[in-house]
């Protein structure tokens, strides 16, 4: 019973204290000073529901004296959303003057002020800067002789909320507050962070330029790492100094699309490339791949949460794990690999990691806060993101030293390789000189034999050129005789047609005779022109056909020039001209193998035996000139090019054993 009475008495005492604290602030139409702390006239209520209770419900809660409010910066809580409600009453005692004041609670995520349950203004980091004396102040107005109750709501999002205070300002006081010692400290912080961001940007540009020059992955990962450092720094500067340059302000300076996860991922890939972890430590690389997947998922989570514009979890303990554990594990695995590595650049990489951990991550994770510092030291020391940016810049500089030292090691290794290569060349040259001296007499003999072989080769080539040149007057002689006959017979049209074909033939003969090998298409075109001229000359007693399969590429396959014409000429003059009705010459082209061309020239003339019996004068001349020259050319071609061009002549007989023509088979390597 006594305990119950004591409890009731305690509640009554607390209520009486709260009522006493909520006594109205009496002001005679103005503030007596530019700035006034109204904490003694303010009560507070901590809303641990995560900003889910409406104003009507909050107004019924028990507000405690402001002096009992804990410091939000040092309060031990695991909330991801901090909501503090403030209540105070102002009574304007002046009979005619309206009281116009500015109210501020500090720099917070969202600050809302209600007057008699009516919203009169809001500001904060989550809102774009508005035109007012200071960004974090709200205007209020109390008519003469009126007493009004004000309720303010202050929302901070997880990790390092700033302390909540309750002050009234005049416009002059706001300007003084804005441009006082705090202003100078903020400008100095801005200058230092700008220098650090410029340093990161400079290293990014250097890495990007090196990447373009060398196309090395190490520069790719380093450039991405420094780029993320620049974006993170610029993002924090946007929120801290209300620039809104990078992205529209949607959440606090902690909840942003640029997190530490991609930074950890990129410096992990950079160290992996620098130490060749993939090849030296296969198990470590498998662990790192899994952690890189987690960091990628965490990056996607942060982007989604930023778009959602509120933390997904009320309990900040969840963020302790999902934001910290992947990075800590990844860094631990990297440190293990660095300790086990024997690479000389590992010291720079270790120094970089320890710089980031010691300067940036560890102080910010411990959330150190010193309440009794003066303005300038407190601006730097109590701002965790300054230390993180400083740690990032220090680590990036150490990594840059590692890249430079790696380049120096590569240069020294190349120099050693060059020196070793030069020494090996000198040794080989010395050995080679001794061998040359020992075998000089053998080399002289080989040189003599080589000169003889070259001389024979040049002699054969000269003879081949001479034989090829003999074909031109042979053709010209036969064709001029044909033109002469048409002219004597007064057949002008046929003579003109003959001259046209003759000119084309002469052009082809002259072009082909200059080359050692010509396309099969050119050779067959010259052959067809020759046979057409002979057919016109002998009143179409000569008939011919040329057959070539469509799958043979006439433009690609090459043969010696003017090789087929003498055999066709011999068939016409010695075979067909001795028959009163004339005959047919057939040329069949085939390719039995990819490197062999087979050509058959067949006529249905009187045969070689009958031609020999007739002892034709013209036949004798043609045989001695065309066939002999062609046989010599085939011999020289085989000698010059070490080929095996063969010509075989077969006498054809009919079913009764009588001669019925001649067949010449040519096998030409291509």
């Amino acid at each position: 019973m006594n305990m119950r009475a004591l409890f009731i008495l305690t509640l009554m005492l607390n209520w009486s204290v709260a009522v006493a604290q909520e006594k109205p602030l009496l002001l005679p139409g103005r503030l007596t000073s530019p700035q006034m702390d109204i904490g003694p006239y303010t009560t507070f209520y901590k809303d641990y529901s995560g900003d889910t209770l409406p104003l009507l419900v909050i107004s019924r809660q028990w507000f405690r004296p402001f002096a009992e409010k804990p410091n939000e910066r040092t309060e031990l809580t695991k909330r991801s959303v901090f909501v503090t409600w403030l209540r105070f009453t102002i009574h304007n005692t002046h009979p005619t003057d309206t009281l116009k004041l500015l109210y501020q609670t500090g720099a917070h995520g969202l600050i809302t002020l209600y007057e008699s349950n009516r919203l009169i203004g809001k500001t904060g980091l989550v809102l774009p800067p508005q035109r007012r004396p200071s960004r974090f102040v709200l205007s209020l107005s109390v008519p003469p002789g009126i007493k009004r109750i004000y309720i303010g709501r202050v929302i901070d999002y997880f990790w390092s909320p700033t302390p909540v205070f309750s002050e009234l300002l005049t416009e002059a006081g706001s300007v003084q507050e804005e441009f006082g010692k705090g202003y100078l400290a903020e400008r100095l912080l801005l200058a230092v962070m700008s220098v650090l961001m410029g340093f990161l940007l400079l290293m990014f540009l250097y890495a990007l330029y090196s990447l373009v020059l060398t196309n090395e992955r190490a520069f790719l990962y380093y450039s991405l790492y420094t780029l993320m450092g620049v974006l993170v720094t610029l993002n924090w500067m946007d929120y801290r100094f209300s620039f809104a340059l990078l992205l529209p302000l949607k959440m606090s300076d902690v909840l942003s699309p640029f997190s530490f996860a991609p930074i950890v991922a990129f410096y992990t890939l950079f160290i992996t490339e620098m130490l060749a972890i993939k090849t030296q430590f296969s198990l470590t690389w498998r662990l790192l791949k899994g952690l890189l997947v987690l960091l990628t998922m965490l990056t996607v989570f942060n982007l989604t949460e930023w778009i959602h514009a509120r933390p997904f979890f009320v309990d900040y303990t969840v963020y302790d794990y999902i934001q910290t554990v992947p990075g800590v594990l990844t860094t631990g695995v990297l440190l293990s690999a660095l300790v086990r590595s024997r690479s000389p650049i590992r010291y720079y990489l270790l120094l970089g990691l320890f710089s980031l951990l010691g300067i940036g991550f560890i102080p910010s994770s411990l959330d150190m806060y010193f309440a009794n510092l003066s303005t300038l030291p407190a601006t730097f020391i109590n701002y965790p993101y300054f230390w993180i940016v400083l740690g990032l810049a220090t680590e990036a500089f150490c990594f840059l030293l590692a890249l430079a030292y790696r380049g120096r090691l590569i240069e020294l290794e190349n120099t050693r390789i060059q020196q070793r290569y030069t020494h090996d060349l000198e040794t080989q040259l010395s050995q080679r000189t001794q061998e040359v001296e020992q075998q000089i007499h053998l080399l002289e003999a080989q040189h003599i034999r080589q000169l003889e072989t070259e001389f024979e080769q040049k002699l054969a080539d000269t003879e081949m050129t001479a034989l090829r040149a003999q074909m031109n007057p042979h053709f010209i002689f036969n064709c001029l005789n044909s033109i002469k006959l048409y002219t004597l017979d007064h057949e002008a049209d046929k003579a003109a047609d003959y001259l046209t074909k003759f000119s084309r033939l002469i052009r082809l003969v002259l072009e082909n005779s200059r080359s050692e090998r010509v396309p099969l298409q050119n050779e067959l075109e010259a052959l067809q022109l020759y046979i057409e001229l002979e057919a016109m000359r002998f009143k179409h007693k000569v008939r011919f056909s040329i057959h070539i399969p469509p799958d043979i590429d006439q433009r690609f396959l090459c043969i010696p020039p003017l090789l087929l014409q003498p055999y066709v000429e011999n068939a016409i003059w010695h075979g067909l001209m001795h028959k009163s009705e004339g005959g047919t010459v057939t040329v069949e082209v085939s390719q039995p193998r990819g490197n062999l061309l087979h050509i058959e020239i067949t006529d249905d003339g009187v045969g070689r035996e009958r031609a020999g019996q007739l002892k034709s004068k013209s036949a004798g001349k043609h045989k001695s000139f065309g066939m002999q020259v062609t046989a010599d050319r085939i011999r020289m071609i085989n000698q010059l090019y070490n080929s095996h061009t063969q010509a075989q002549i077969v006498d054809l007989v009919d079913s009764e054993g009588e001669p019925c023509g001649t067949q010449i088979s040519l096998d030409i390597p291509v």
Side-chain angles (χ1 to χ4, degrees):
M1 187 66 179
N2 292 335
M3 291 297 296
R4 184 177 180 180
L6 181 61
F7 178 73
I8 294 175
L9 179 60
T10 303
L11 289 178
M12 292 178 65
L13 288 175
N14 287 333
W15 179 82
S16 63
V17 171
V19 171
Q21 290 292 333
E22 286 188 25
K23 64 182 179 179
L25 173 63
L26 303 179
L27 294 174
R30 60 184 179 82
L31 283 181
T32 57
S33 62
Q35 182 176 356
M36 179 179 182
D37 180 13
I38 62 171
Y41 301 92
T42 305
T43 57
F44 80 97
Y45 171 73
K46 287 286 189 179
D47 179 10
Y48 294 106
S49 66
D51 190 28
T52 59
L53 299 179
L55 177 62
L56 183 60
V57 175
I58 292 297
S59 61
R60 298 172 182 172
Q61 303 301 317
W62 180 43
F63 279 67
R64 299 169 59 191
F66 190 80
E68 298 179 7
K69 182 183 70 65
N71 189 325
E72 287 79 7
R73 192 68 170 79
T74 58
E75 183 181 7
L76 298 177
T77 180
K78 289 298 181 181
R79 313 292 296 179
S80 61
V81 179
F82 299 84
V83 183
T84 303
W85 291 86
L86 305 175
R87 185 166 62 190
F88 59 93
T89 303
I90 298 178
H91 185 192
N92 183 6
T93 61
H94 199 278
T96 59
D97 293 342
T98 300
L99 182 63
K100 295 182 178 181
L101 300 172
L102 299 174
Y103 180 68
Q104 72 169 359
T105 60
H108 302 282
L110 180 62
I111 306 167
T112 308
L113 186 62
Y114 298 90
E115 179 186 86
S116 301
N117 298 331
R118 178 178 62 88
L119 177 65
I120 62 173
K122 60 172 60 177
T123 185
L125 290 169
V126 301
L127 299 176
Q130 300 179 16
R131 298 178 62 87
R132 56 169 66 97
S134 177
R135 179 179 181 185
F136 299 105
V137 300
L138 292 171
S139 301
L140 56 88
S141 176
V142 183
I146 299 299
K147 179 172 64 175
R148 286 183 174 173
I149 300 175
Y150 293 92
I151 296 180
R153 180 184 61 179
V154 179
I155 300 178
D156 278 307
Y157 299 97
F158 60 87
W159 198 23
S160 304
T162 56
V164 177
F165 54 87
S166 182
E167 290 183 348
L168 290 178
L169 303 170
T170 63
E171 289 194 7
S174 176
V175 172
Q176 181 179 354
E177 175 77 12
E178 182 74 13
F179 296 98
K181 294 183 179 179
Y183 173 81
L184 296 177
E186 287 291 311
R187 297 290 82 84
L188 183 59
L189 176 63
L190 172 61
V192 173
M193 293 191 70
S194 299
V195 170
L196 294 176
M197 186 186 70
F199 182 65
L200 289 170
L201 180 61
L202 183 62
M203 288 187 284
F204 162 71
L205 295 176
Y206 164 76
L208 187 63
Y209 179 69
S210 301
L211 174 64
V212 173
L213 294 179
T214 64
N215 198 27
E216 292 186 19
R217 289 187 179 180
F219 286 108
L220 171 63
Y221 298 141
Y222 183 79
S223 62
L224 292 174
Y225 161 69
T226 50
L227 176 61
M228 286 305 304
V230 171
L231 293 176
V232 167
T233 304
L234 182 57
N235 182 68
W236 289 333
M237 292 173 63
D238 269 354
Y239 290 126
R240 174 76 180 196
F241 305 106
S242 305
F243 292 149
L245 298 175
L246 192 61
L247 290 168
L249 294 177
K250 294 181 63 176
M251 286 298 294
S252 70
D253 54 349
V254 177
L255 194 56
S256 70
F258 305 106
S259 62
F260 291 114
I263 292 179
V264 176
F266 287 136
Y267 77 59
T268 298
L269 292 172
F270 171 75
I271 295 176
T272 299
E273 186 68 22
M274 294 288 284
L275 294 182
I277 291 179
K278 295 180 182 179
T279 56
Q280 293 189 12
F281 308 106
S282 58
L283 178 59
T284 301
W285 172 238
R286 286 197 292 270
L287 291 174
L288 289 176
K289 284 196 296 185
L291 291 171
L292 287 172
V293 172
L294 289 179
L295 291 172
T296 303
M297 295 172 61
L298 180 56
T299 302
V300 174
F301 171 81
N302 290 329
L303 287 172
T304 307
E305 191 176 49
W306 175 73
I307 295 173
H308 181 256
R310 283 185 67 87
F312 286 136
F313 303 101
V314 176
D315 189 355
Y316 182 64
T317 307
V318 178
Y319 292 97
D320 279 338
Y321 291 101
I322 64 176
Q323 299 283 3
T324 307
V325 172
V328 171
L329 291 178
T330 303
T331 305
V333 174
L334 287 177
L335 288 174
S336 173
L338 285 169
V339 170
R340 289 180 291 136
S341 174
R342 293 296 178 263
S343 174
I345 63 175
R346 67 184 186 276
Y347 299 109
Y348 295 98
L349 301 176
L350 279 170
L351 182 60
L353 281 181
F354 284 131
S355 298
L356 182 62
L357 293 175
I359 299 176
F361 286 167
I362 292 178
S364 61
S365 299
L366 295 177
D367 197 14
M368 296 185 300
Y369 179 78
F370 301 92
N372 298 321
L373 295 176
S374 59
T375 303
L376 181 60
T379 302
F380 286 86
I381 295 175
N382 291 338
Y383 185 51
Y385 299 126
F386 165 74
W387 298 106
I388 294 176
V389 173
L390 181 61
L392 282 174
T394 306
E395 183 186 50
F397 179 70
C398 294
F399 287 172
L400 184 63
L401 293 179
L403 281 171
Y405 189 53
R406 173 175 172 266
R408 177 58 178 167
L409 291 177
I410 293 175
E411 181 182 352
L412 292 176
E413 181 63 23
N414 291 336
T415 302
R416 285 194 295 268
I417 292 175
Q418 184 65 30
Q419 292 175 350
R420 186 165 58 250
Y421 179 71
T422 303
H423 179 266
D424 293 342
L425 284 180
E426 292 176 351
T427 303
Q428 293 177 7
L429 180 61
S430 177
Q431 295 175 354
R432 187 62 178 170
T433 302
Q434 295 177 1
E435 293 177 359
V436 169
E437 292 176 353
Q438 294 174 0
Q439 300 180 4
I440 189 170
H441 61 282
L442 297 177
L443 292 176
E444 290 179 353
Q446 292 177 1
H447 182 62
I448 293 173
R449 287 195 298 271
Q450 181 179 359
L451 291 177
E452 292 176 351
T453 302
E454 291 178 354
F455 177 77
E456 293 175 357
Q457 185 81 3
K458 291 181 179 179
L459 183 62
D461 187 54
T462 303
E463 185 177 353
M464 180 67 185
T465 303
L467 290 174
R468 195 166 62 237
Q470 294 179 34
M471 302 301 294
N472 295 337
H474 182 63
F475 273 105
I476 296 171
F477 175 78
N478 289 332
C479 293
L480 289 177
N481 282 337
S482 300
I483 296 172
K484 178 182 178 182
L485 289 176
Y486 277 112
T487 305
L488 293 175
D489 291 343
H490 304 288
E491 297 181 3
D493 294 338
K494 292 184 178 181
D497 187 20
Y498 198 93
L499 281 171
T500 301
K501 294 184 178 181
F502 173 69
S503 63
R504 290 173 56 196
L505 179 60
I506 288 298
R507 178 177 59 81
L508 285 173
V509 169
L510 291 176
E511 290 178 354
N512 293 349
S513 64
R514 295 190 185 98
S515 304
E516 296 178 355
R517 301 180 76 85
V518 297
L520 177 61
Q521 181 179 9
N522 293 2
E523 180 71 7
L524 293 179
E525 182 181 358
L527 182 62
Q528 181 170 347
L529 285 172
Y530 167 76
I531 299 175
E532 289 177 355
L533 291 174
E534 293 290 61
M536 292 175 64
R537 179 185 176 192
F538 293 107
K539 311 300 181 182
H540 299 288
K541 290 177 59 177
V542 177
R543 295 173 297 277
F544 70 94
S545 62
I546 300 176
H547 302 287
I548 179 169
D551 59 342
I552 294 180
D553 192 347
Q554 303 181 45
R555 296 171 298 178
F556 175 74
L557 297 176
C558 294
I559 64 174
L562 303 176
L563 188 63
L564 306 179
Q565 185 272 340
Y567 292 108
V568 174
E569 180 183 1
N570 189 70
I572 294 173
W573 283 84
H574 297 279
L576 304 183
M577 290 301 99
H578 295 297
K579 295 176 64 176
S580 58
E581 71 278 10
T584 302
V585 177
T586 303
V587 179
E588 295 278 352
V589 181
S590 62
Q591 191 175 8
R593 297 194 303 272
N595 60 348
L596 181 66
L597 194 65
H598 181 74
I599 302 176
E600 291 184 356
I601 303 173
T602 307
D603 68 83
D604 56 358
V606 299
R608 289 191 300 170
E609 184 178 355
R610 177 60 178 164
Q613 293 174 358
L614 294 176
K615 301 293 186 180
S616 171
K617 183 179 180 180
S618 62
K621 287 182 180 180
H622 285 293
K623 180 177 180 180
S624 62
F625 188 77
M627 293 292 290
Q628 184 60 42
V629 168
T630 303
D632 291 341
R633 288 185 64 219
I634 291 177
R635 175 179 57 80
M636 296 303 299
I637 288 171
N638 291 335
Q639 178 180 348
L640 276 173
Y641 306 112
N642 194 24
S643 61
H644 301 283
T645 302
Q646 297 179 358
Q648 182 179 6
I649 303 176
V650 179
D651 295 318
L652 304 177
V653 296
D654 57 15
S655 59
E656 298 178 358
E658 294 296 328
C660 63
T662 307
Q663 184 183 72
I664 300 173
S665 299
L666 288 172
D667 290 327
I668 306 172
V670 293

